[in-house]
């Protein structure tokens, strides 16, 4: 996916009721899941973020009442939110992660966050430049997608067994998209990015859209297919 300059709204001004309800549901489940797996988590606000009042600054930018915990900000948004300070992730509320555990992102750079990505050398090498751009003068965005058997907004690896299920028919497939938008908070030091996740039944897409997805999957390397769990799906949708 290409990263491009973005000049639209940072977040949905009329957030989806489905997203807001699902976020609250994820938060209700979080304590029970953390009791079973202490590494499980959807959010954190580091000492650095509190010291520099970074969540509060984002609230002011977005026109919300001041908050100091990122969950209190994020629960008002359709999008998930991450804050990066001096190149490291210092706060996050990601209710709908795509196969990664947000609690383990604290203190990591974007390069470290993308280490598991297959064939992602170009992306990892570009992360330092991307980090500089994120806290520059402009906003940027990109779209990423996959096909999955998981119909839920959350794809947290701790409890989404459907991530590893093999589809039996095309009707089992869902098109999962992420619209990622970066924005500067403090020029030269601090930025944030928003992740808007949506899922749509593959059969709801037009024939042209389905064919475009087929062509893209057919062009992927075996490593990418394995990383994105698309090997069986590739066989299923082949014409």
């Amino acid at each position: 996916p290409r990263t491009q300059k973005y000049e639209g709204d940072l977040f949905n001004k009329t957030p989806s009721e489905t997203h807001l309800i699902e976020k609250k549901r994820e938060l209700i489940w979080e304590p029970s899941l953390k009791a079973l797996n202490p590494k499980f988590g959807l959010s954190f606000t580091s000492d650095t973020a509190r010291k520099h009042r970074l969540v509060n600054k984002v609230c002011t930018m977005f026109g919300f009442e001041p908050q100091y915990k990122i969950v209190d900000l994020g629960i008002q948004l359709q999008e998930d939110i991450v804050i990066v300070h001096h190149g490291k992730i210092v706060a996050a509320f990601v209710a709908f992660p795509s196969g990664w555990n947000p609690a383990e992102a604290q203190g990591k750079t974007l390069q470290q966050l993308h280490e598991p990505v297959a064939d992602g050398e170009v992306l990892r090498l570009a992360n330092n430049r991307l980090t500089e751009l994120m806290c520059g003068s402009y906003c940027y965005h990109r779209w990423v997608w996959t096909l999955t058997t998981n119909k839920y907004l959350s794809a947290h690896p701790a409890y989404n067994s459907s991530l590893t299920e093999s589809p039996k028919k095309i009707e089992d497939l869902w098109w999962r998209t992420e619209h990622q938008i970066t924005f500067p908070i403090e020029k030269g030091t601090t930025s944030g990015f928003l992740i808007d996740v949506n899922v749509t039944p593959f059969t709801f897409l037009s024939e042209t859209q389905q064919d475009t997805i087929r062509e893209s999957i057919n062009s992927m390397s075996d490593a990418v297919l394995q990383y994105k769990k698309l090997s069986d799906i590739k066989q299923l949708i082949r014409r």
Side-chain angles (χ1 to χ4, degrees), residues 107-187:
K108 289 186 176 180
T109 64
L110 294 180
Q111 181 174 351
Q112 291 170 324
L113 195 64
H114 288 119
E115 278 178 358
V117 177
D119 287 0
E121 289 79 7
V122 174
L123 175 62
R124 287 187 285 272
L125 289 172
N127 274 320
N128 288 339
R129 176 59 179 156
L130 178 60
T131 301
E132 292 176 5
L133 289 174
M134 285 171 59
C135 55
S137 301
Y138 303 102
C139 301
Y140 296 88
H141 74 144
R142 67 174 190 158
W143 292 86
V144 296
W145 62 269
T146 192
L147 284 183
T148 176
T149 55
N150 176 31
K151 64 181 179 181
Y152 300 105
L153 288 170
S154 177
H156 198 297
Y159 57 81
N160 277 281
S161 59
S162 58
L163 288 173
T164 57
E165 290 180 358
S166 295
K168 297 178 177 60
K169 55 187 184 300
I170 287 183
E171 286 75 15
D172 293 336
L173 299 179
W174 294 75
W175 189 47
R176 181 182 181 89
T177 63
E178 290 188 9
H179 185 205
Q180 304 171 357
I181 301 175
T182 76
F183 60 95
I185 299 172
E186 294 179 341
K187 191 169 183 179

Coordinates of all heavy atoms in Angstrom, one line a residue, residues 107-187:
G107 N 6.4 1.3 23.8 CA 7.8 1.6 23.7 C 8.5 1.1 22.4 O 9.7 1.4 22.2
K108 N 7.7 0.5 21.6 CA 8.3 0.1 20.3 C 8.3 1.2 19.2 O 7.5 2.1 19.3 CB 7.5 -1.1 19.8 CG 7.7 -2.4 20.6 CD 7.0 -3.6 19.9 CE 7.3 -4.9 20.7 NZ 6.6 -6.0 20.0
T109 N 9.2 1.0 18.3 CA 9.2 1.9 17.1 C 8.3 1.3 16.1 O 7.9 0.1 16.2 CB 10.6 2.1 16.5 OG1 11.0 0.8 16.1 CG2 11.6 2.6 17.6
L110 N 7.9 2.0 15.1 CA 7.1 1.5 14.0 C 7.8 0.4 13.3 O 7.2 -0.6 12.8 CB 6.7 2.6 13.0 CG 5.8 3.7 13.5 CD1 5.5 4.7 12.4 CD2 4.5 3.1 14.1
Q111 N 9.1 0.5 13.2 CA 9.9 -0.6 12.5 C 9.8 -1.9 13.3 O 9.6 -2.9 12.7 CB 11.4 -0.2 12.4 CG 12.3 -1.2 11.8 CD 13.7 -0.7 11.6 OE1 14.0 0.4 11.7 NE2 14.6 -1.6 11.1
Q112 N 9.9 -1.8 14.6 CA 9.8 -3.0 15.5 C 8.3 -3.6 15.4 O 8.2 -4.8 15.4 CB 10.1 -2.6 16.9 CG 11.6 -2.3 17.1 CD 11.9 -1.8 18.5 OE1 11.1 -1.0 19.1 NE2 13.0 -2.2 19.1
L113 N 7.4 -2.7 15.3 CA 6.0 -3.1 15.2 C 5.7 -3.9 13.9 O 4.9 -4.8 13.9 CB 5.0 -1.9 15.2 CG 3.6 -2.2 15.5 CD1 3.4 -2.8 16.9 CD2 2.8 -0.9 15.4
H114 N 6.5 -3.5 12.8 CA 6.3 -4.2 11.5 C 7.2 -5.3 11.3 O 7.2 -5.9 10.2 CB 6.4 -3.1 10.4 CG 5.2 -2.2 10.3 ND1 5.4 -0.8 10.5 CD2 3.9 -2.4 10.2 CE1 4.2 -0.2 10.4 NE2 3.3 -1.2 10.2
E115 N 8.0 -5.7 12.3 CA 9.0 -6.8 12.1 C 8.4 -8.1 11.6 O 9.0 -8.8 10.7 CB 9.8 -7.0 13.3 CG 11.0 -6.0 13.5 CD 11.7 -6.3 14.8 OE1 11.3 -7.2 15.6 OE2 12.7 -5.5 15.0
P116 N 7.2 -8.5 12.1 CA 6.6 -9.8 11.6 C 6.1 -9.8 10.2 O 5.8 -10.8 9.6 CB 5.5 -10.0 12.6 CG 5.7 -9.1 13.7 CD 6.4 -7.9 13.1
V117 N 6.0 -8.6 9.6 CA 5.4 -8.5 8.2 C 6.2 -9.2 7.2 O 7.4 -8.9 7.0 CB 5.1 -7.0 7.8 CG1 4.5 -7.0 6.4 CG2 4.2 -6.3 8.8
A118 N 5.6 -10.1 6.5 CA 6.3 -10.9 5.4 C 6.6 -10.0 4.2 O 5.8 -9.1 3.8 CB 5.5 -12.0 4.9
D119 N 7.8 -10.1 3.7 CA 8.3 -9.3 2.5 C 8.1 -7.8 2.8 O 7.9 -7.0 1.9 CB 7.5 -9.7 1.3 CG 7.9 -11.0 0.7 OD1 8.7 -11.7 1.3 OD2 7.3 -11.4 -0.3
G120 N 8.4 -7.5 4.1 CA 8.1 -6.1 4.5 C 9.4 -5.2 4.6 O 9.4 -4.2 5.3
E121 N 10.5 -5.7 3.9 CA 11.7 -5.0 4.1 C 11.6 -3.5 3.7 O 12.2 -2.6 4.3 CB 12.8 -5.6 3.2 CG 13.3 -7.0 3.8 CD 12.4 -8.1 3.4 OE1 11.4 -7.9 2.7 OE2 12.5 -9.2 4.0
V122 N 10.9 -3.3 2.5 CA 10.8 -1.9 2.1 C 10.0 -1.0 3.1 O 10.4 0.1 3.4 CB 10.0 -1.8 0.7 CG1 9.8 -0.4 0.3 CG2 10.9 -2.5 -0.4
L123 N 9.0 -1.6 3.7 CA 8.2 -0.9 4.7 C 9.0 -0.6 5.9 O 9.0 0.5 6.4 CB 7.0 -1.7 5.1 CG 6.1 -1.2 6.2 CD1 5.5 0.2 5.8 CD2 5.0 -2.2 6.5
R124 N 9.8 -1.6 6.3 CA 10.6 -1.4 7.5 C 11.7 -0.4 7.3 O 12.0 0.4 8.2 CB 11.2 -2.8 8.0 CG 10.2 -3.7 8.6 CD 10.8 -5.0 9.2 NE 11.2 -5.9 8.1 CZ 10.4 -6.8 7.6 NH1 9.2 -7.0 8.0 NH2 10.9 -7.7 6.7
L125 N 12.3 -0.4 6.1 CA 13.4 0.6 5.8 C 12.8 2.0 5.7 O 13.5 2.9 6.0 CB 14.1 0.2 4.5 CG 15.0 -1.1 4.6 CD1 15.4 -1.4 3.2 CD2 16.2 -0.9 5.5
A126 N 11.6 2.1 5.4 CA 10.9 3.4 5.2 C 10.4 3.9 6.5 O 9.9 5.1 6.6 CB 9.8 3.3 4.2
N127 N 10.4 3.1 7.6 CA 9.8 3.6 8.8 C 10.4 4.8 9.5 O 9.7 5.6 10.0 CB 9.8 2.4 9.8 CG 8.6 1.5 9.6 OD1 7.5 1.9 9.4 ND2 8.8 0.2 9.8
N128 N 11.7 4.9 9.4 CA 12.4 6.1 10.0 C 11.9 7.4 9.2 O 11.6 8.4 9.8 CB 13.9 6.0 9.9 CG 14.4 5.0 10.9 OD1 13.8 4.7 11.9 ND2 15.6 4.5 10.6
R129 N 11.9 7.3 7.9 CA 11.4 8.4 7.1 C 9.9 8.7 7.4 O 9.5 9.8 7.5 CB 11.6 8.1 5.6 CG 11.0 9.2 4.7 CD 11.6 10.5 4.9 NE 11.1 11.6 4.0 CZ 11.1 12.9 4.2 NH1 11.6 13.3 5.4 NH2 10.7 13.7 3.3
L130 N 9.1 7.6 7.5 CA 7.7 7.8 7.8 C 7.5 8.4 9.2 O 6.6 9.3 9.3 CB 7.0 6.4 7.8 CG 5.5 6.4 8.1 CD1 4.7 7.2 7.2 CD2 5.0 4.9 8.1
T131 N 8.3 8.0 10.2 CA 8.2 8.6 11.5 C 8.4 10.1 11.4 O 7.7 10.9 12.1 CB 9.1 8.0 12.5 OG1 8.9 6.6 12.5 CG2 9.0 8.6 13.9
E132 N 9.4 10.6 10.6 CA 9.7 12.0 10.4 C 8.5 12.7 9.8 O 8.1 13.8 10.2 CB 11.0 12.2 9.6 CG 12.2 11.7 10.3 CD 13.4 11.8 9.4 OE1 13.3 12.3 8.2 OE2 14.5 11.4 9.7
L133 N 8.0 12.1 8.7 CA 6.9 12.7 8.0 C 5.6 12.8 8.9 O 4.9 13.8 8.8 CB 6.5 11.9 6.8 CG 7.5 11.9 5.6 CD1 7.1 10.9 4.6 CD2 7.6 13.3 5.0
M134 N 5.4 11.9 9.8 CA 4.2 11.9 10.6 C 4.2 13.1 11.5 O 3.1 13.5 11.9 CB 4.2 10.6 11.4 CG 3.7 9.3 10.6 SD 3.9 7.8 11.5 CE 2.8 8.1 12.9
C135 N 5.3 13.5 12.0 CA 5.3 14.7 12.9 C 5.8 15.9 12.2 O 6.4 16.8 12.8 CB 6.1 14.4 14.2 SG 7.8 13.9 13.9
G136 N 5.6 15.9 10.9 CA 5.9 17.1 10.1 C 4.8 18.1 9.9 O 4.0 18.3 10.9
S137 N 4.5 18.5 8.7 CA 3.5 19.6 8.5 C 2.2 19.0 7.9 O 1.2 19.8 7.8 CB 4.0 20.6 7.6 OG 5.2 21.2 8.1
Y138 N 2.2 17.7 7.5 CA 1.0 17.2 6.8 C 0.5 15.9 7.4 O 1.2 15.3 8.2 CB 1.4 17.0 5.3 CG 1.9 18.2 4.6 CD1 3.3 18.3 4.4 CD2 1.1 19.2 4.2 CE1 3.8 19.4 3.7 CE2 1.6 20.3 3.5 CZ 2.9 20.4 3.3 OH 3.4 21.5 2.7
C139 N -0.7 15.6 7.0 CA -1.3 14.3 7.4 C -1.1 13.3 6.2 O -1.0 13.8 5.0 CB -2.8 14.4 7.7 SG -3.2 15.5 9.0
Y140 N -1.0 12.0 6.5 CA -0.9 11.0 5.4 C -1.8 9.9 5.7 O -2.3 9.7 6.8 CB 0.6 10.5 5.4 CG 1.6 11.6 5.0 CD1 2.2 12.4 6.0 CD2 1.9 11.8 3.7 CE1 3.1 13.4 5.7 CE2 2.8 12.8 3.4 CZ 3.4 13.6 4.3 OH 4.3 14.6 4.0
H141 N -2.1 9.2 4.6 CA -3.0 8.0 4.8 C -2.7 6.9 3.8 O -2.0 7.1 2.8 CB -4.5 8.4 4.6 CG -4.9 8.7 3.2 ND1 -6.2 8.3 2.8 CD2 -4.3 9.2 2.1 CE1 -6.3 8.7 1.5 NE2 -5.2 9.2 1.1
R142 N -3.1 5.7 4.1 CA -3.0 4.5 3.3 C -4.1 3.6 3.6 O -4.7 3.6 4.7 CB -1.7 3.9 3.4 CG -1.4 3.2 4.7 CD -0.1 2.4 4.7 NE 0.0 1.6 5.9 CZ 0.8 0.5 6.0 NH1 1.6 0.2 4.9 NH2 0.9 -0.2 7.1
W143 N -4.4 2.7 2.7 CA -5.4 1.6 2.8 C -4.7 0.3 2.8 O -3.8 0.1 2.0 CB -6.4 1.6 1.7 CG -7.3 2.8 1.7 CD1 -7.1 4.0 1.1 CD2 -8.6 2.9 2.3 NE1 -8.2 4.9 1.2 CE2 -9.1 4.2 2.0 CE3 -9.4 2.1 3.0 CZ2 -10.4 4.7 2.4 CZ3 -10.7 2.5 3.4 CH2 -11.1 3.8 3.2
V144 N -5.1 -0.6 3.7 CA -4.6 -2.0 3.7 C -5.8 -2.9 3.8 O -6.9 -2.5 4.3 CB -3.6 -2.3 4.8 CG1 -2.3 -1.5 4.7 CG2 -4.2 -2.1 6.2
W145 N -5.7 -4.1 3.3 CA -6.8 -5.0 3.3 C -6.4 -6.5 3.3 O -5.2 -6.8 3.1 CB -7.7 -4.8 2.0 CG -6.9 -5.1 0.7 CD1 -6.2 -4.2 0.0 CD2 -6.8 -6.4 0.1 NE1 -5.6 -4.9 -1.1 CE2 -6.0 -6.2 -1.0 CE3 -7.3 -7.6 0.4 CZ2 -5.6 -7.2 -1.9 CZ3 -7.0 -8.7 -0.5 CH2 -6.2 -8.5 -1.6
T146 N -7.3 -7.3 3.6 CA -7.1 -8.8 3.5 C -8.5 -9.5 3.4 O -9.5 -8.8 3.5 CB -6.4 -9.3 4.7 OG1 -5.9 -10.6 4.4 CG2 -7.2 -9.3 6.0
L147 N -8.4 -10.7 3.0 CA -9.6 -11.6 3.1 C -9.5 -12.5 4.3 O -8.4 -13.0 4.5 CB -9.8 -12.4 1.8 CG -10.3 -11.7 0.6 CD1 -10.5 -12.7 -0.6 CD2 -11.6 -11.0 0.8
T148 N -10.5 -12.7 5.0 CA -10.5 -13.5 6.2 C -11.8 -14.2 6.5 O -12.8 -13.9 5.9 CB -10.2 -12.6 7.4 OG1 -10.2 -13.3 8.6 CG2 -11.2 -11.5 7.5
T149 N -11.8 -15.2 7.3 CA -13.0 -15.9 7.7 C -13.6 -15.2 9.0 O -14.6 -15.6 9.5 CB -12.8 -17.4 8.0 OG1 -11.7 -17.5 8.9 CG2 -12.4 -18.1 6.7
N150 N -12.8 -14.3 9.5 CA -13.2 -13.6 10.7 C -14.2 -12.4 10.4 O -13.8 -11.4 9.8 CB -12.0 -13.0 11.5 CG -12.4 -12.2 12.7 OD1 -13.4 -12.5 13.3 ND2 -11.5 -11.3 13.0
K151 N -15.4 -12.5 10.8 CA -16.4 -11.5 10.5 C -16.5 -10.3 11.5 O -17.2 -9.4 11.3 CB -17.8 -12.1 10.4 CG -18.3 -12.7 11.7 CD -19.7 -13.3 11.5 CE -20.2 -13.9 12.8 NZ -21.6 -14.5 12.5
Y152 N -15.6 -10.4 12.6 CA -15.7 -9.4 13.6 C -14.7 -8.3 13.4 O -13.7 -8.4 12.7 CB -15.4 -10.1 15.0 CG -16.4 -11.1 15.3 CD1 -16.1 -12.5 15.2 CD2 -17.7 -10.8 15.7 CE1 -17.0 -13.5 15.5 CE2 -18.6 -11.8 16.0 CZ -18.2 -13.2 15.9 OH -19.2 -14.2 16.1
L153 N -15.0 -7.1 14.0 CA -14.1 -6.0 13.8 C -12.8 -6.3 14.5 O -11.7 -5.9 14.0 CB -14.7 -4.7 14.4 CG -15.9 -4.1 13.6 CD1 -16.6 -3.0 14.5 CD2 -15.4 -3.5 12.3
S154 N -12.8 -6.9 15.6 CA -11.5 -7.3 16.3 C -11.0 -8.6 15.7 O -11.7 -9.5 15.5 CB -11.8 -7.5 17.8 OG -10.6 -7.9 18.4
A155 N -9.7 -8.5 15.5 CA -8.9 -9.7 15.1 C -7.7 -9.9 16.1 O -6.6 -10.2 15.7 CB -8.4 -9.6 13.7
H156 N -8.0 -9.7 17.4 CA -7.0 -9.9 18.4 C -6.5 -11.3 18.4 O -7.4 -12.2 18.4 CB -7.5 -9.4 19.7 CG -6.4 -9.2 20.8 ND1 -5.6 -10.1 21.2 CD2 -6.1 -8.0 21.4 CE1 -4.7 -9.6 22.1 NE2 -5.0 -8.3 22.2
P157 N -5.2 -11.6 18.3 CA -4.8 -13.0 18.2 C -5.1 -13.8 19.5 O -5.1 -15.0 19.4 CB -3.2 -12.8 18.1 CG -2.9 -11.5 18.7 CD -4.1 -10.6 18.4
A158 N -5.5 -13.2 20.6 CA -5.7 -14.0 21.8 C -7.0 -14.8 21.8 O -7.1 -15.8 22.5 CB -5.7 -13.0 23.0
Y159 N -8.0 -14.4 21.0 CA -9.2 -15.1 21.1 C -10.0 -15.2 19.7 O -11.1 -15.7 19.7 CB -10.2 -14.5 22.1 CG -10.5 -13.0 21.9 CD1 -11.5 -12.6 21.0 CD2 -9.8 -12.0 22.6 CE1 -11.8 -11.3 20.8 CE2 -10.1 -10.7 22.4 CZ -11.1 -10.3 21.5 OH -11.4 -9.0 21.3
N160 N -9.4 -14.9 18.7 CA -10.0 -15.0 17.4 C -9.6 -16.3 16.7 O -8.7 -16.3 15.8 CB -9.8 -13.8 16.5 CG -10.7 -12.7 16.8 OD1 -11.9 -12.7 16.4 ND2 -10.3 -11.7 17.6
S161 N -10.2 -17.4 17.1 CA -9.8 -18.7 16.5 C -10.1 -18.7 15.0 O -9.5 -19.5 14.2 CB -10.5 -19.8 17.2 OG -11.9 -19.7 17.1
S162 N -11.1 -17.9 14.6 CA -11.5 -17.9 13.2 C -10.4 -17.4 12.3 O -10.4 -17.5 11.1 CB -12.7 -17.0 13.0 OG -12.5 -15.7 13.4
L163 N -9.3 -16.8 12.9 CA -8.2 -16.3 12.0 C -7.5 -17.5 11.4 O -6.9 -17.3 10.3 CB -7.2 -15.5 12.9 CG -7.6 -14.2 13.4 CD1 -6.6 -13.6 14.4 CD2 -7.8 -13.2 12.2
T164 N -7.6 -18.7 12.0 CA -6.9 -19.8 11.4 C -7.8 -20.8 10.8 O -7.4 -21.9 10.3 CB -6.1 -20.5 12.6 OG1 -7.0 -20.9 13.6 CG2 -5.0 -19.6 13.1
E165 N -9.1 -20.5 10.7 CA -10.0 -21.4 10.1 C -9.9 -21.4 8.6 O -9.7 -20.4 8.0 CB -11.5 -21.1 10.5 CG -11.8 -21.3 11.9 CD -13.2 -21.0 12.3 OE1 -13.9 -20.4 11.4 OE2 -13.6 -21.1 13.4
S166 N -10.0 -22.6 8.0 CA -10.0 -22.6 6.5 C -11.4 -22.5 6.0 O -12.3 -23.1 6.5 CB -9.4 -24.0 6.1 OG -8.1 -24.1 6.4
P167 N -11.6 -21.6 5.1 CA -13.0 -21.4 4.5 C -13.5 -22.6 3.7 O -12.7 -23.2 3.0 CB -12.8 -20.1 3.7 CG -11.4 -20.2 3.2 CD -10.6 -20.8 4.4
K168 N -14.7 -22.9 3.8 CA -15.3 -24.0 3.1 C -16.0 -23.5 1.8 O -16.2 -24.3 0.9 CB -16.2 -24.8 4.0 CG -15.5 -25.4 5.2 CD -16.5 -26.1 6.1 CE -15.8 -26.8 7.3 NZ -15.1 -25.8 8.1
K169 N -16.5 -22.3 1.9 CA -17.2 -21.7 0.7 C -16.9 -20.2 0.7 O -16.5 -19.6 1.7 CB -18.7 -22.0 0.8 CG -19.3 -21.6 2.0 CD -20.8 -22.1 2.1 CE -21.5 -21.5 3.3 NZ -20.9 -22.0 4.6
I170 N -17.1 -19.6 -0.5 CA -16.9 -18.2 -0.7 C -17.7 -17.4 0.3 O -17.3 -16.3 0.7 CB -17.1 -17.8 -2.1 CG1 -16.0 -18.3 -3.0 CG2 -17.2 -16.3 -2.3 CD1 -16.1 -17.9 -4.5
E171 N -18.9 -17.9 0.6 CA -19.7 -17.1 1.6 C -19.1 -17.0 3.0 O -19.6 -16.2 3.8 CB -21.1 -17.8 1.7 CG -22.0 -17.6 0.5 CD -21.6 -18.4 -0.7 OE1 -20.8 -19.4 -0.5 OE2 -22.0 -18.2 -1.9
D172 N -18.1 -17.8 3.2 CA -17.4 -17.7 4.5 C -16.4 -16.5 4.6 O -15.9 -16.2 5.7 CB -16.6 -19.0 4.8 CG -17.5 -20.2 5.0 OD1 -18.7 -20.0 5.4 OD2 -17.0 -21.3 4.8
L173 N -16.2 -15.9 3.5 CA -15.1 -14.9 3.4 C -15.6 -13.4 3.7 O -16.7 -13.1 3.3 CB -14.4 -14.9 2.0 CG -13.8 -16.2 1.6 CD1 -13.2 -16.1 0.2 CD2 -12.7 -16.6 2.6
W174 N -14.7 -12.7 4.4 CA -15.0 -11.3 4.7 C -13.8 -10.5 4.2 O -12.7 -10.8 4.4 CB -15.2 -11.1 6.2 CG -16.4 -11.8 6.7 CD1 -16.6 -13.1 6.8 CD2 -17.7 -11.2 7.0 NE1 -17.9 -13.4 7.3 CE2 -18.6 -12.2 7.4 CE3 -18.1 -9.9 7.0 CZ2 -19.9 -12.0 7.8 CZ3 -19.4 -9.6 7.4 CH2 -20.3 -10.6 7.8
W175 N -14.1 -9.3 3.6 CA -13.1 -8.4 3.1 C -12.9 -7.4 4.3 O -13.8 -6.6 4.7 CB -13.6 -7.6 1.9 CG -12.6 -6.8 1.2 CD1 -11.3 -7.2 0.9 CD2 -12.7 -5.5 0.7 NE1 -10.7 -6.2 0.3 CE2 -11.5 -5.1 0.1 CE3 -13.8 -4.6 0.8 CZ2 -11.3 -3.8 -0.4 CZ3 -13.6 -3.3 0.2 CH2 -12.4 -2.9 -0.4
R176 N -11.7 -7.4 4.8 CA -11.3 -6.6 6.0 C -10.4 -5.4 5.5 O -9.4 -5.7 4.9 CB -10.6 -7.4 7.0 CG -10.2 -6.6 8.3 CD -9.4 -7.5 9.2 NE -9.0 -6.8 10.4 CZ -9.8 -6.7 11.5 NH1 -10.9 -7.3 11.6 NH2 -9.4 -6.0 12.6
T177 N -10.8 -4.2 5.8 CA -10.0 -3.0 5.3 C -9.6 -2.2 6.5 O -10.3 -2.2 7.6 CB -10.8 -2.1 4.4 OG1 -12.0 -1.6 5.1 CG2 -11.3 -2.9 3.2
E178 N -8.5 -1.5 6.4 CA -8.1 -0.6 7.4 C -7.7 0.7 6.7 O -6.9 0.7 5.7 CB -6.8 -1.0 8.1 CG -7.0 -2.2 9.1 CD -5.8 -2.5 9.9 OE1 -4.8 -1.6 9.9 OE2 -5.7 -3.5 10.6
H179 N -8.3 1.8 7.1 CA -7.9 3.1 6.6 C -7.1 3.8 7.7 O -7.6 4.1 8.7 CB -9.1 4.0 6.2 CG -8.8 5.3 5.6 ND1 -9.6 6.4 5.7 CD2 -7.7 5.7 4.9 CE1 -9.1 7.4 5.1 NE2 -7.9 7.0 4.6
Q180 N -5.8 3.9 7.4 CA -4.9 4.5 8.4 C -4.5 5.9 8.1 O -4.1 6.2 6.9 CB -3.6 3.6 8.4 CG -3.9 2.1 8.7 CD -2.6 1.3 8.5 OE1 -1.6 1.7 8.1 NE2 -2.8 0.0 8.8
I181 N -4.7 6.8 9.0 CA -4.4 8.2 8.8 C -3.4 8.7 9.9 O -3.6 8.5 11.1 CB -5.7 9.1 8.9 CG1 -6.7 8.7 7.9 CG2 -5.3 10.6 8.7 CD1 -8.0 9.4 8.0
T182 N -2.3 9.3 9.5 CA -1.3 9.9 10.4 C -1.6 11.4 10.6 O -2.1 12.0 9.6 CB 0.1 9.7 10.0 OG1 0.4 10.6 8.9 CG2 0.3 8.2 9.5
F183 N -1.2 12.0 11.7 CA -1.4 13.4 11.9 C -0.4 13.9 12.9 O 0.0 13.2 13.9 CB -2.8 13.7 12.4 CG -3.2 13.1 13.7 CD1 -3.0 13.8 14.9 CD2 -3.7 11.8 13.7 CE1 -3.4 13.2 16.1 CE2 -4.1 11.2 14.9 CZ -3.9 11.9 16.1
P184 N 0.2 15.1 12.7 CA 1.2 15.7 13.6 C 0.5 16.2 14.9 O -0.6 16.7 14.8 CB 1.8 16.8 12.8 CG 0.8 17.2 11.9 CD 0.0 16.0 11.5
I185 N 1.2 16.0 16.0 CA 0.7 16.5 17.3 C 1.6 17.7 17.7 O 1.1 18.8 18.0 CB 0.6 15.4 18.4 CG1 -0.4 14.3 17.9 CG2 0.2 16.0 19.7 CD1 -0.4 13.1 18.8
E186 N 2.9 17.4 17.8 CA 3.9 18.4 18.1 C 5.0 18.3 17.0 O 5.6 17.2 16.9 CB 4.5 18.2 19.5 CG 3.5 18.4 20.6 CD 4.2 18.2 22.0 OE1 5.3 17.6 22.0 OE2 3.6 18.7 23.0
K187 N 5.1 19.3 16.2 CA 6.0 19.2 15.1 C 7.4 18.8 15.5 O 8.0 19.4 16.4 CB 6.1 20.6 14.3 CG 6.7 20.5 13.0 CD 6.5 21.8 12.2 CE 7.2 21.6 10.8 NZ 7.0 22.8 10.0

